[in-house]
Amino acid sequence: MAVLMFERAKRSLARAVLVATAFGCVATALPTGANAQEAQVYRSAPRLPDFQGADRRFGTYRTRISDEMRTGPNFAWRYAIVEIGCGTSCRFVFVGDVSTGRVYDFPYGGEEFYMLNLRYNVKENYVTARWISDGVCMEDFLEWDGARFMSANMRVVGPRTICEAL
C-alpha cells in the first residue's frame, strides 16, 4: 500500500513539474524579508483589464476579475489574486495588476488540482499552494517576479487528509 502511494506521489510530482515548466516556473530560493521587494501597497484607483484588447482571453471571467480588482490589492503590494470556483473543490486562479489592469495566469487550477488552497499576503510576493493529486497532498511555494511565478519547493506533504484538514 505504501509503495503504491509513493509511486502515485512520484507520478503526481512529475505531472506537476511538467505543468510548472509549461507555465515558465523555475526553481529558486524562497524569498525572505531581506530579498523580497519592499514597497508600498497600491492605494490609488484600480485600473481594470481591457477585455476587448490585450486581456481578451480572460473575457469569460470579466465580471469576477473586475469585481476582485476593484477591491484593491491582496497580494504582492499591487496585485489581486482572483479565485473562481469551477465546481466541487475546483478553482481557477488569475492574477490582476490593479495599477495597470493587466491579467496573468496562475500556474495551478482546474480539476487537476483538486481542493487547491492558496495562502498569500498583500505584503509578500509568494504564494503557498496545496492540492490533492492521486491520493496525496502536494504543496508548492511560488515566488512572483512581476510577470510569472517561479516554483521554489514543490513537494509531497503526505496523505490527502493533510490537505483536507485545511
Side-chain angles (χ1 to χ4, degrees):
M1 179 74 155
V3 172
L4 181 60
M5 276 184 59
F6 179 73
E7 289 302 317
R8 284 184 180 166
K10 282 190 346 188
R11 283 194 308 270
S12 294
L13 185 57
R15 197 169 28 242
V17 168
L18 286 174
V19 169
T21 302
F23 280 95
C25 297
V26 295
T28 185
L30 281 174
T32 65
N35 67 6
Q37 175 188 358
E38 290 296 327
Q40 295 292 324
V41 174
Y42 183 80
R43 297 285 184 215
S44 298
R47 291 192 58 193
L48 298 179
D50 176 11
F51 293 113
Q52 301 301 314
D55 296 308
R56 177 176 290 148
R57 67 190 183 101
F58 301 104
T60 303
Y61 306 103
R62 68 183 168 273
T63 301
R64 295 293 304 275
I65 291 171
S66 296
D67 287 351
E68 187 65 36
M69 289 179 70
R70 278 187 188 100
T71 67
N74 61 15
F75 170 67
W77 301 277
R78 69 176 205 215
Y79 298 92
I81 290 185
V82 181
E83 300 182 53
I84 302 172
C86 55
T88 304
S89 298
C90 175
R91 131 180 341 158
F92 291 114
V93 183
F94 304 101
V95 179
D97 184 334
V98 298
S99 69
T100 66
R102 184 162 180 202
V103 180
Y104 302 87
D105 285 306
F106 188 78
Y108 301 129
E111 293 178 357
E112 299 87 36
F113 298 93
Y114 181 68
M115 293 187 69
L116 179 65
N117 182 287
L118 305 177
R119 287 181 293 172
Y120 48 88
N121 185 298
V122 71
K123 293 185 178 182
E124 297 173 339
N125 66 330
Y126 57 92
V127 176
T128 302
R130 279 193 178 181
W131 68 94
I132 295 174
S133 183
D134 289 330
V136 296
C137 183
M138 302 291 296
E139 181 177 68
D140 198 2
F141 298 96
L142 301 162
E143 184 177 5
W144 175 249
D145 70 2
R148 65 188 178 138
F149 284 94
M150 295 169 283
S151 176
N153 184 22
M154 187 182 305
R155 66 191 183 100
V156 175
V157 178
R160 71 181 288 144
T161 54
I162 293 172
C163 283
E164 292 170 341
L166 291 177

PDB file of all heavy atoms in Angstrom, residues 14-25 107-108 112-113:
ATOM      1  N   ALA A  14       5.807  14.491 -10.855  1.00  0.00           N
ATOM      2  CA  ALA A  14       6.306  14.615 -12.228  1.00  0.00           C
ATOM      3  C   ALA A  14       5.318  15.407 -13.083  1.00  0.00           C
ATOM      4  O   ALA A  14       5.714  16.280 -13.861  1.00  0.00           O
ATOM      5  CB  ALA A  14       6.548  13.232 -12.832  1.00  0.00           C
ATOM      6  N   ARG A  15       4.031  15.121 -12.930  1.00  0.00           N
ATOM      7  CA  ARG A  15       2.997  15.833 -13.689  1.00  0.00           C
ATOM      8  C   ARG A  15       2.982  17.309 -13.292  1.00  0.00           C
ATOM      9  O   ARG A  15       2.897  18.196 -14.131  1.00  0.00           O
ATOM     10  CB  ARG A  15       1.640  15.182 -13.440  1.00  0.00           C
ATOM     11  CG  ARG A  15       0.600  15.549 -14.428  1.00  0.00           C
ATOM     12  CD  ARG A  15      -0.673  14.719 -14.341  1.00  0.00           C
ATOM     13  NE  ARG A  15      -0.986  14.181 -13.037  1.00  0.00           N
ATOM     14  CZ  ARG A  15      -1.075  12.885 -12.759  1.00  0.00           C
ATOM     15  NH1 ARG A  15      -0.873  11.993 -13.704  1.00  0.00           N
ATOM     16  NH2 ARG A  15      -1.371  12.470 -11.550  1.00  0.00           N
ATOM     17  N   ALA A  16       3.100  17.598 -12.006  1.00  0.00           N
ATOM     18  CA  ALA A  16       3.088  18.983 -11.532  1.00  0.00           C
ATOM     19  C   ALA A  16       4.313  19.741 -12.033  1.00  0.00           C
ATOM     20  O   ALA A  16       4.221  20.917 -12.383  1.00  0.00           O
ATOM     21  CB  ALA A  16       3.018  19.017 -10.013  1.00  0.00           C
ATOM     22  N   VAL A  17       5.460  19.076 -12.079  1.00  0.00           N
ATOM     23  CA  VAL A  17       6.672  19.711 -12.604  1.00  0.00           C
ATOM     24  C   VAL A  17       6.495  20.043 -14.077  1.00  0.00           C
ATOM     25  O   VAL A  17       6.891  21.115 -14.539  1.00  0.00           O
ATOM     26  CB  VAL A  17       7.915  18.824 -12.359  1.00  0.00           C
ATOM     27  CG1 VAL A  17       9.111  19.320 -13.148  1.00  0.00           C
ATOM     28  CG2 VAL A  17       8.235  18.765 -10.883  1.00  0.00           C
ATOM     29  N   LEU A  18       5.869  19.148 -14.829  1.00  0.00           N
ATOM     30  CA  LEU A  18       5.595  19.432 -16.240  1.00  0.00           C
ATOM     31  C   LEU A  18       4.690  20.645 -16.387  1.00  0.00           C
ATOM     32  O   LEU A  18       4.919  21.510 -17.227  1.00  0.00           O
ATOM     33  CB  LEU A  18       4.951  18.220 -16.923  1.00  0.00           C
ATOM     34  CG  LEU A  18       5.878  17.053 -17.213  1.00  0.00           C
ATOM     35  CD1 LEU A  18       5.079  15.865 -17.748  1.00  0.00           C
ATOM     36  CD2 LEU A  18       6.946  17.455 -18.207  1.00  0.00           C
ATOM     37  N   VAL A  19       3.650  20.736 -15.570  1.00  0.00           N
ATOM     38  CA  VAL A  19       2.749  21.883 -15.613  1.00  0.00           C
ATOM     39  C   VAL A  19       3.516  23.151 -15.249  1.00  0.00           C
ATOM     40  O   VAL A  19       3.392  24.175 -15.910  1.00  0.00           O
ATOM     41  CB  VAL A  19       1.540  21.689 -14.666  1.00  0.00           C
ATOM     42  CG1 VAL A  19       0.754  22.972 -14.508  1.00  0.00           C
ATOM     43  CG2 VAL A  19       0.645  20.581 -15.183  1.00  0.00           C
ATOM     44  N   ALA A  20       4.303  23.088 -14.193  1.00  0.00           N
ATOM     45  CA  ALA A  20       5.067  24.257 -13.765  1.00  0.00           C
ATOM     46  C   ALA A  20       6.025  24.702 -14.861  1.00  0.00           C
ATOM     47  O   ALA A  20       6.167  25.895 -15.127  1.00  0.00           O
ATOM     48  CB  ALA A  20       5.834  23.943 -12.479  1.00  0.00           C
ATOM     49  N   THR A  21       6.661  23.754 -15.532  1.00  0.00           N
ATOM     50  CA  THR A  21       7.572  24.064 -16.622  1.00  0.00           C
ATOM     51  C   THR A  21       6.820  24.726 -17.771  1.00  0.00           C
ATOM     52  O   THR A  21       7.290  25.694 -18.362  1.00  0.00           O
ATOM     53  CB  THR A  21       8.283  22.785 -17.112  1.00  0.00           C
ATOM     54  OG1 THR A  21       8.973  22.215 -16.004  1.00  0.00           O
ATOM     55  CG2 THR A  21       9.261  23.097 -18.226  1.00  0.00           C
ATOM     56  N   ALA A  22       5.633  24.227 -18.066  1.00  0.00           N
ATOM     57  CA  ALA A  22       4.829  24.794 -19.148  1.00  0.00           C
ATOM     58  C   ALA A  22       4.457  26.243 -18.871  1.00  0.00           C
ATOM     59  O   ALA A  22       4.292  27.037 -19.781  1.00  0.00           O
ATOM     60  CB  ALA A  22       3.567  23.959 -19.363  1.00  0.00           C
ATOM     61  N   PHE A  23       4.332  26.622 -17.601  1.00  0.00           N
ATOM     62  CA  PHE A  23       3.975  27.983 -17.239  1.00  0.00           C
ATOM     63  C   PHE A  23       5.209  28.829 -16.957  1.00  0.00           C
ATOM     64  O   PHE A  23       5.104  29.924 -16.426  1.00  0.00           O
ATOM     65  CB  PHE A  23       3.046  28.004 -16.021  1.00  0.00           C
ATOM     66  CG  PHE A  23       1.629  27.700 -16.373  1.00  0.00           C
ATOM     67  CD1 PHE A  23       1.142  26.420 -16.261  1.00  0.00           C
ATOM     68  CD2 PHE A  23       0.790  28.692 -16.839  1.00  0.00           C
ATOM     69  CE1 PHE A  23      -0.163  26.136 -16.587  1.00  0.00           C
ATOM     70  CE2 PHE A  23      -0.507  28.421 -17.173  1.00  0.00           C
ATOM     71  CZ  PHE A  23      -0.989  27.139 -17.048  1.00  0.00           C
ATOM     72  N   GLY A  24       6.384  28.321 -17.259  1.00  0.00           N
ATOM     73  CA  GLY A  24       7.597  29.096 -17.088  1.00  0.00           C
ATOM     74  C   GLY A  24       8.121  29.151 -15.674  1.00  0.00           C
ATOM     75  O   GLY A  24       8.900  30.027 -15.348  1.00  0.00           O
ATOM     76  N   CYS A  25       7.680  28.251 -14.827  1.00  0.00           N
ATOM     77  CA  CYS A  25       8.168  28.239 -13.453  1.00  0.00           C
ATOM     78  C   CYS A  25       9.552  27.607 -13.415  1.00  0.00           C
ATOM     79  O   CYS A  25       9.818  26.650 -14.120  1.00  0.00           O
ATOM     80  CB  CYS A  25       7.225  27.443 -12.541  1.00  0.00           C
ATOM     81  SG  CYS A  25       5.593  28.167 -12.419  1.00  0.00           S
ATOM     82  N   PRO A 107      -0.242  29.374 -12.275  1.00  0.00           N
ATOM     83  CA  PRO A 107       0.181  28.068 -12.793  1.00  0.00           C
ATOM     84  C   PRO A 107      -0.667  26.876 -12.355  1.00  0.00           C
ATOM     85  O   PRO A 107      -0.584  25.819 -12.979  1.00  0.00           O
ATOM     86  CB  PRO A 107       1.614  27.916 -12.296  1.00  0.00           C
ATOM     87  CG  PRO A 107       1.754  28.889 -11.189  1.00  0.00           C
ATOM     88  CD  PRO A 107       0.773  29.990 -11.434  1.00  0.00           C
ATOM     89  N   TYR A 108      -1.472  27.011 -11.314  1.00  0.00           N
ATOM     90  CA  TYR A 108      -2.278  25.889 -10.847  1.00  0.00           C
ATOM     91  C   TYR A 108      -3.751  26.269 -10.870  1.00  0.00           C
ATOM     92  O   TYR A 108      -4.108  27.412 -10.607  1.00  0.00           O
ATOM     93  CB  TYR A 108      -1.880  25.463  -9.432  1.00  0.00           C
ATOM     94  CG  TYR A 108      -0.430  25.057  -9.307  1.00  0.00           C
ATOM     95  CD1 TYR A 108       0.371  25.598  -8.315  1.00  0.00           C
ATOM     96  CD2 TYR A 108       0.125  24.139 -10.175  1.00  0.00           C
ATOM     97  CE1 TYR A 108       1.701  25.230  -8.196  1.00  0.00           C
ATOM     98  CE2 TYR A 108       1.453  23.780 -10.070  1.00  0.00           C
ATOM     99  CZ  TYR A 108       2.232  24.319  -9.080  1.00  0.00           C
ATOM    100  OH  TYR A 108       3.542  23.951  -8.971  1.00  0.00           O
ATOM    101  N   GLU A 112      -7.470  19.302 -12.230  1.00  0.00           N
ATOM    102  CA  GLU A 112      -6.232  18.549 -11.955  1.00  0.00           C
ATOM    103  C   GLU A 112      -5.649  18.881 -10.586  1.00  0.00           C
ATOM    104  O   GLU A 112      -4.821  18.153 -10.067  1.00  0.00           O
ATOM    105  CB  GLU A 112      -5.157  18.834 -13.018  1.00  0.00           C
ATOM    106  CG  GLU A 112      -5.553  18.452 -14.412  1.00  0.00           C
ATOM    107  CD  GLU A 112      -6.304  19.583 -15.103  1.00  0.00           C
ATOM    108  OE1 GLU A 112      -5.977  20.764 -14.876  1.00  0.00           O
ATOM    109  OE2 GLU A 112      -7.243  19.276 -15.848  1.00  0.00           O
ATOM    110  N   PHE A 113      -6.063  20.016 -10.006  1.00  0.00           N
ATOM    111  CA  PHE A 113      -5.532  20.461  -8.722  1.00  0.00           C
ATOM    112  C   PHE A 113      -6.678  20.484  -7.717  1.00  0.00           C
ATOM    113  O   PHE A 113      -7.084  21.530  -7.218  1.00  0.00           O
ATOM    114  CB  PHE A 113      -4.856  21.829  -8.878  1.00  0.00           C
ATOM    115  CG  PHE A 113      -3.689  21.756  -9.814  1.00  0.00           C
ATOM    116  CD1 PHE A 113      -3.854  22.029 -11.164  1.00  0.00           C
ATOM    117  CD2 PHE A 113      -2.447  21.359  -9.365  1.00  0.00           C
ATOM    118  CE1 PHE A 113      -2.791  21.933 -12.041  1.00  0.00           C
ATOM    119  CE2 PHE A 113      -1.378  21.251 -10.237  1.00  0.00           C
ATOM    120  CZ  PHE A 113      -1.549  21.541 -11.579  1.00  0.00           C
TER     121      PHE A 113
END
